[in-house]
Amino acid sequence: IYDGTDAVMLSGESAAGKYPVEAVKMQASIALETEKYLPAHAPLEVPADAHGTRVVNNVVGMSAVNMATTVGAKCITVPTTTGRTARLISHFRPNMPICAFSRHEWAVQQMIMYWGVIPHQAEITQGTINGTIVKAIETAKELGYVKTGDLTVATAGDPRMSVQLEDKVSSTNVAYVAQVR
């Protein structure tokens, strides 16, 4: 937990023993108690690559977490295709939920393992980055994560202005502070 792992699991002996449910409950309570003593978010590490993509991703991700903390956002809203942006934000351990939305079931299944991420399968792509973010915030409101008047920070990759990653996915390059309507 102190090393920043996203998930822990029981060994075979504990999981198959006489009290597997109790073992999982104890493990969860230990993890929750331990997380109380972790720093607000991880320190910014910005390793460079040939195109500067990791620099952009990390700076935008850390900025989104800092903005959300500073304005008291109820959640960080993340529309994502692959789950990469949700994983990036998770790395910085914000003190509010990360509500992530992807149209792909496989991405949602992966995001379940990311620390602090609440993934949902939803079709939120609206043709523009602004439309997609508005739809993601509306979906977060419908699901009860935010309500009218709350602040949220939304972050994503705008493919029109982004460095393309090796698999043709856009890097995380925008963050918005939005008041829910």
Side-chain angles (χ1 to χ4, degrees):
I1 304 296
Y2 284 129
D3 290 336
T5 188
D6 286 322
V8 293
M9 60 186 224
L10 296 171
S11 66
E13 297 83 16
S14 301
K18 287 176 82 174
Y19 305 101
V21 173
E22 290 80 0
V24 169
K25 286 181 180 178
M26 178 57 71
Q27 186 178 41
S29 70
I30 291 168
L32 288 171
E33 184 64 25
T34 303
E35 285 178 347
K36 292 178 187 176
Y37 302 99
L38 294 175
H41 50 71
L44 179 59
E45 297 174 19
V46 187
D49 64 11
H51 304 289
T53 306
R54 293 181 79 188
V55 173
V56 172
N57 286 343
N58 279 290
V59 169
V60 172
M62 184 64 168
S63 296
V65 171
N66 283 335
M67 287 189 305
T69 301
T70 301
V71 302
K74 294 294 183 190
C75 70
I76 298 175
T77 306
V78 181
T80 181
T81 301
T82 64
R84 265 195 198 143
T85 298
R87 185 179 67 210
L88 171 70
I89 299 302
S90 173
H91 169 76
F92 296 111
R93 303 295 194 256
N95 61 0
M96 72 280 303
I98 305 162
C99 300
F101 303 99
S102 176
R103 69 178 174 265
H104 300 294
E105 183 179 354
W106 60 266
V108 171
Q109 289 173 352
Q110 285 180 348
M111 290 187 287
I112 288 170
M113 297 301 290
Y114 302 155
W115 184 96
V117 175
I118 306 167
H120 293 277
Q121 188 172 358
E123 181 54 61
I124 54 162
T125 304
Q126 299 296 307
T128 67
I129 191 69
N130 290 342
T132 298
I133 286 176
V134 166
K135 180 65 175 171
I137 293 169
E138 288 171 353
T139 304
K141 182 180 178 184
E142 290 167 11
L143 293 171
Y145 295 109
V146 292
K147 61 185 185 320
T148 301
D150 286 345
L151 293 176
T152 184
V153 169
T155 186
D158 183 347
R160 298 169 303 150
M161 311 237 183
S162 154
V163 174
Q164 296 294 307
L165 301 175
E166 61 280 353
D167 53 1
K168 306 297 186 226
V169 175
S170 300
S171 65
T172 304
N173 64 352
V174 297
Y176 297 87
V177 177
Q179 187 170 29
V180 179
R181 295 180 184 227

